[in-house]
């Protein structure tokens, strides 16, 4: 009877994770799915309650929860407080650490394959939008349609190479590429996800991929040096990739320098607003921003291009530091944690300018690190 229960629970976890990833990646073009992302994330966390119950025994987590509770209390009695926003961000701040405790490494092959295959469907969506722009020779119509449906932004800088499809659900494409490479998935998926990251059009994505390739190359070189079994073709390709990335980024910078002035000005504008007030202890969870500048009206906004700064605006440098210490600590306690820490650092770096970095995106990343990448690290340790 016990065996039947464990199998059925595992099946429930599989289904919930699949639904979570589908609703995340395919919210464009199916906007209705976006409403279910947080629901599936919550139920997936509850299905894995045995993994994170022990987290409540850790003094640091208890301190973190106490601090978040104080930040909630500080803003809850404000007459202008948005209760829905407070509940939403409270859920995010408290749930993210839980996903860093879930260990499904025994079933990592299933989770990695589901994640990569559904991410590939997202890549097809991006390729389709890109194809429409190339065929029609203009992005105006599809951009207007995307704005109407709440997809995100689609634009071009006058060149097919500089067409950008920045829609919701893109942020985890880079993690999908990392997963496909780390688990040595089929080359077809790796190439498709890499191209999708290029079309997604965020320079931070390229920087994240470059850091990952750099680590991948250094790790591979160290292993091959020990075994004296060099694969010069692979070595040459990785080296070319490492040398090409800075050139691509530099070229893109030179082309876009004049045209990204507005975007950089907006980010600077947002940074000045979000870093105002009490940034040491924060202005409270779900703090409502009431500011209007010559660039935008930020009144009541939930997401910013520098979302990490909005997190600091809410829980302060102290709260954000506690969060980082807690999540990095949960990774460091695992064997062969360097790879996990490096990939997590890369994630934090490339999503700094992503509005949806501190959301379900972060939860899924934590789960992947502790269940997929950790499993691969353990296998590497056994080989050594």
């Amino acid at each position: 009877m016990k065996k039947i229960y464990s199998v059925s629970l595992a099946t429930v976890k599989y289904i919930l994770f699949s639904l979570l990833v589908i609703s995340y990646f395919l919210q464009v073009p199916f906007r209705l799915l976006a409403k279910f992302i947080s629901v599936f994330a919550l139920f997936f966390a509850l299905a894995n309650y045995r993994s994170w119950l022990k987290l409540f025994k850790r003094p640091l987590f208890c301190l973190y929860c106490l601090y978040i509770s104080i930040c909630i209390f500080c803003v809850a009695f404000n007459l202008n407080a948005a209760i829905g926003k407070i509940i939403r961000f409270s859920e995010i701040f408290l749930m993210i650490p839980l996903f860093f405790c879930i260990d499904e490494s025994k079933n990592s092959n299933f989770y990695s394959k589901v994640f990569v295959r559904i991410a590939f469907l997202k890549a097809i969506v991006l390729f389709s939008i890109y194809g429409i722009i190339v065929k029609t020779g203009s992005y105006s119509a599809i951009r207007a349609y995307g704005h109407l449906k709440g997809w995100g932004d689609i634009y071009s800088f006058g060149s097919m190479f500089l067409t950008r499809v920045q829609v919701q659900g893109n942020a985890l494409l880079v993690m999908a590429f990392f997963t496909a490479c780390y688990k040595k998935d089929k080359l077809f998926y790796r190439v498709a996800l890499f191209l999708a990251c290029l079309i997604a059009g965020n320079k931070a994505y390229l920087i994240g991929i470059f850091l990952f390739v750099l680590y991948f190359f250094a790790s591979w070189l160290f292993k091959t040096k020990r075994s004296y079994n060099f694969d010069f073709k692979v070595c040459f390709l990785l080296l070319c990739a490492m040398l090409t990335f800075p050139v691509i980024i530099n070229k893109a910078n030179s082309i876009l320098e004049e045209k990204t002035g507005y975007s950089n000005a907006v980010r600077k504008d947002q940074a000045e607003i979000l870093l105002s007030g009490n940034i040491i202890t924060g202005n409270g969870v779900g703090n409502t921003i009431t500011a209007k500048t010559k660039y935008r009206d930020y009144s009541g906004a939930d997401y910013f291009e520098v979302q990490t700064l909005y997190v600091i605006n809410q829980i302060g440098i102290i709260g954000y530091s506690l969060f980082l210490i807690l999540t990095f600590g949960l990774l460091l306690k695992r064997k062969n944690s360097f790879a996990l820490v490096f990939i997590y650092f890369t994630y934090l770096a490339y999503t700094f300018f992503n509005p949806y970095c501190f959301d379900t995106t972060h939860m899924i990343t934590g789960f992947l690190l502790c269940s997929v990448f950790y499993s691969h690290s353990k296998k590497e340790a056994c080989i050594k």
Side-chain angles (χ1 to χ4, degrees), residues 333-350:
K333 74 173 186 175
R334 299 174 182 271
K335 295 179 180 179
N336 302 294
S337 60
F338 180 78
L340 307 182
V341 170
F342 186 87
I343 294 171
Y344 183 42
F345 171 80
T346 303
Y347 166 82
L348 293 174
Y350 86 77

Side-chain angles (χ1 to χ4, degrees), residues 94-109:
L94 295 174
M95 278 185 62
I96 290 176
L98 304 186
F99 277 76
F100 279 77
C101 292
I102 299 174
D103 185 358
E104 287 288 316
S105 54
K106 292 181 179 179
N107 304 310
S108 66
N109 286 335

